Amino acid sequence: MKRIVILFSGQGSNMLRIIEEVKKHKDIEVVAAITNKKEAEGIQRLKPYDIALNIISHKDYDSREEFDQELVNRINYYKPDLVVLAGFMRILTPIFTQNIKSINLHPSMLPLFKGAKAIEQSYANADKPAGISVHWVSEELDGGSVIAQKELPRIEGEAFESFKNRIHLLEYELLPHTVVRLLQ
Ligand code: GAR
């Protein structure tokens, strides 16, 4: 059995898509989810599932390193084959990146628009490609090698909300399929 641990900070909509996709595969399971936010909306969405939930608030730790060490300990407890960052909004230290093999979802065509405002920046820069990336997590923020990408065709005059929704729809396809592909 291949084991997945998912990290999230907010809505958890991508986490849900992974959980649903993995259900179709008897040899893969999501064993745990970890969030750094007590109030993350994704916590409620996990209720129907038999998946261990861990809330580790970064506010309870004095440094990034101490928080990351606790994350590493908790992740290793579940002995995952793959760790997926699905909307996990933390800058990670080498304590995490050197000890955990993980992938991250990012809402732009990396290396374009790294960081927390990727959708806004992609939207504003209509001369550059928009899309999404799944990449290996490395020490450099949003800088690890790309595993899969999907470009979003531009629609002239499109409103930001519509653009953002289409980015999310692309994510719901690419991330679950990439997770399964990496484990098979
Ligand atoms: C997703 O759009 C993901 O690409 C983005 O956060 C959102 C999480 O949504 N991640 C980043 O910006 C990472 N830098 P979700 O919580 O509903 O899955």
Side-chain angles (χ1 to χ4, degrees), residues 10-15 86-87 89 104-107 115 119 142 168 171:
Q11 295 290 338
S13 64
N14 283 282
M15 169 175 68
M89 307 305 260
N104 180 45
L105 170 67
H106 187 76
I119 302 184
D142 299 325
H168 292 317
E171 293 182 326

Side-chain angles (χ1 to χ4, degrees), residues 77-104:
Y77 170 81
Y78 293 104
K79 301 194 184 337
D81 296 283
L82 186 66
V83 175
V84 184
L85 276 53
F88 188 63
M89 307 305 260
R90 290 284 303 170
I91 291 170
L92 297 161
T93 70
I95 294 190
F96 183 96
T97 56
Q98 288 177 5
N99 290 296
I100 300 294
K101 181 182 163 193
S102 64
I103 63 171
N104 180 45

Side-chain angles (χ1 to χ4, degrees), residues 146-183:
V146 170
I147 303 161
Q149 282 185 317
K150 192 123 198 193
E151 194 172 332
L152 185 77
R154 298 267 180 190
I155 298 174
E156 231 186 282
E158 183 177 31
F160 176 68
E161 279 306 311
S162 162
F163 177 84
K164 191 166 134 187
N165 285 339
R166 289 196 303 125
I167 287 278
H168 292 317
L169 291 177
L170 270 193
E171 293 182 326
Y172 300 157
E173 252 180 65
L174 187 70
L175 182 61
H177 290 137
T178 305
V179 167
V180 167
R181 181 163 65 82
L182 288 172
L183 289 170

